[in-house]
Amino acid sequence: MVIPNTIFVAVGVITAASLTGIFSFIALINQKEGKVSEFRQNWIDALREDVAKFTSSFDRISTSWQLIQLQERRKATPFDGVEWIAEFNELSKEDSSIFCECHNRILLRLNKNKDKELINKLNKAKLSISDRDVMFDKSEIQSQIDDIINVSQDLLKIEWEVVKAGEKAYINTKRATKAIVTILLLSLLISYYFLQG
């Protein structure tokens, strides 16, 4: 049986249209997942910046407490009245504002179910700024800062690995595309073989 040459044109057109559709779909997924990865990278950068500001302001607030403590210890009756509180508030006003703002922004970025360890450490630090004994203990403050940074680094590394590997939809689309292209190429080769045979 003789196969007309026009069949090759039809097979070529169908194959070209199929490949165009597949590659358009791939481009669409790549664009979407690229945007998601971009947003995730921005989230990582913003979280890193807020954690740095949070821990820095926490450290400076502690230093302000310690300066007030040194001043008050020189007095005959330390921590008498409310004057020292006003001095502390003036000394740490900007840092307290940064601390609270970053605390809230970080909490809003975290998943309350998955990121409990970091949330607990942030809340512990927030409670500590109203505890005079803790604020006077620089080693305790440094320990809390180190804990926050360590847990944050673990979280940031996990998120960076996701950005590096690609989003799940992108990975699945890539695998499916490879399979479809392989099947199409194999079907073309098999069709050509049988048509020639």
Side-chain angles (χ1 to χ4, degrees):
M1 173 174 157
V2 177
I3 299 174
N5 288 339
T6 55
I7 193 95
F8 293 113
V9 173
V11 169
V13 169
I14 291 170
T15 303
S18 298
L19 288 174
T20 301
I22 289 169
F23 290 124
S24 295
F25 180 70
I26 292 169
L28 180 70
I29 296 294
N30 281 342
Q31 280 179 333
K32 180 205 170 275
E33 296 306 319
K35 204 64 170 162
V36 169
S37 288
E38 183 182 328
F39 288 141
R40 188 181 293 269
Q41 183 61 50
N42 290 341
W43 179 90
I44 289 169
D45 293 340
L47 181 62
R48 183 182 294 120
E49 183 178 341
D50 279 344
V51 167
K53 286 181 180 178
F54 179 83
T55 53
S56 297
S57 62
F58 186 38
D59 189 41
R60 287 190 303 270
I61 291 168
S62 169
T63 301
S64 298
W65 268 106
Q66 291 165 4
L67 288 172
I68 294 296
Q69 181 186 33
L70 290 173
Q71 289 173 358
E72 289 298 310
R73 283 189 176 163
R74 291 185 199 145
K75 295 179 180 177
T77 53
F79 301 105
D80 186 38
V82 293
E83 187 178 303
W84 69 273
I85 296 173
E87 287 178 33
F88 171 74
N89 286 339
E90 186 57 37
L91 193 59
S92 66
K93 182 171 36 175
E94 185 178 335
D95 287 320
S96 294
S97 175
I98 291 169
F99 179 87
C100 289
E101 183 179 332
C102 288
H103 177 266
N104 293 336
R105 238 188 347 248
I106 293 168
L107 289 180
L108 287 170
R109 285 193 176 99
L110 299 177
N111 182 316
K112 68 181 179 181
N113 298 319
K114 288 176 26 181
D115 302 319
K116 285 181 181 177
E117 185 179 7
L118 181 54
I119 290 169
N120 290 338
K121 293 191 182 305
L122 293 168
N123 289 335
K124 180 180 179 184
K126 187 167 186 184
L127 289 173
S128 293
I129 64 169
S130 33
D131 185 335
R132 194 168 59 182
D133 294 331
V134 173
M135 294 309 285
F136 291 151
D137 185 356
K138 198 64 169 175
S139 64
E140 170 61 22
I141 298 301
Q142 191 56 54
S143 175
Q144 287 189 39
I145 289 171
D146 291 344
D147 287 347
I148 291 168
I149 289 173
N150 288 333
V151 174
S152 297
Q153 286 174 330
D154 293 342
L155 174 63
L156 292 168
K157 181 171 178 23
I158 290 167
E159 294 302 323
W160 171 245
E161 292 299 325
V162 171
V163 169
K164 224 168 55 171
E167 303 295 325
K168 285 182 182 178
Y170 172 75
I171 293 169
N172 292 337
T173 302
K174 197 164 102 176
R175 288 179 186 150
T177 302
K178 285 179 184 177
I180 291 169
V181 168
T182 302
I183 291 169
L184 275 174
L185 290 175
L186 285 174
S187 64
L188 278 174
L189 289 173
I190 292 169
S191 298
Y192 178 76
Y193 176 76
F194 282 114
L195 290 174
Q196 290 297 326

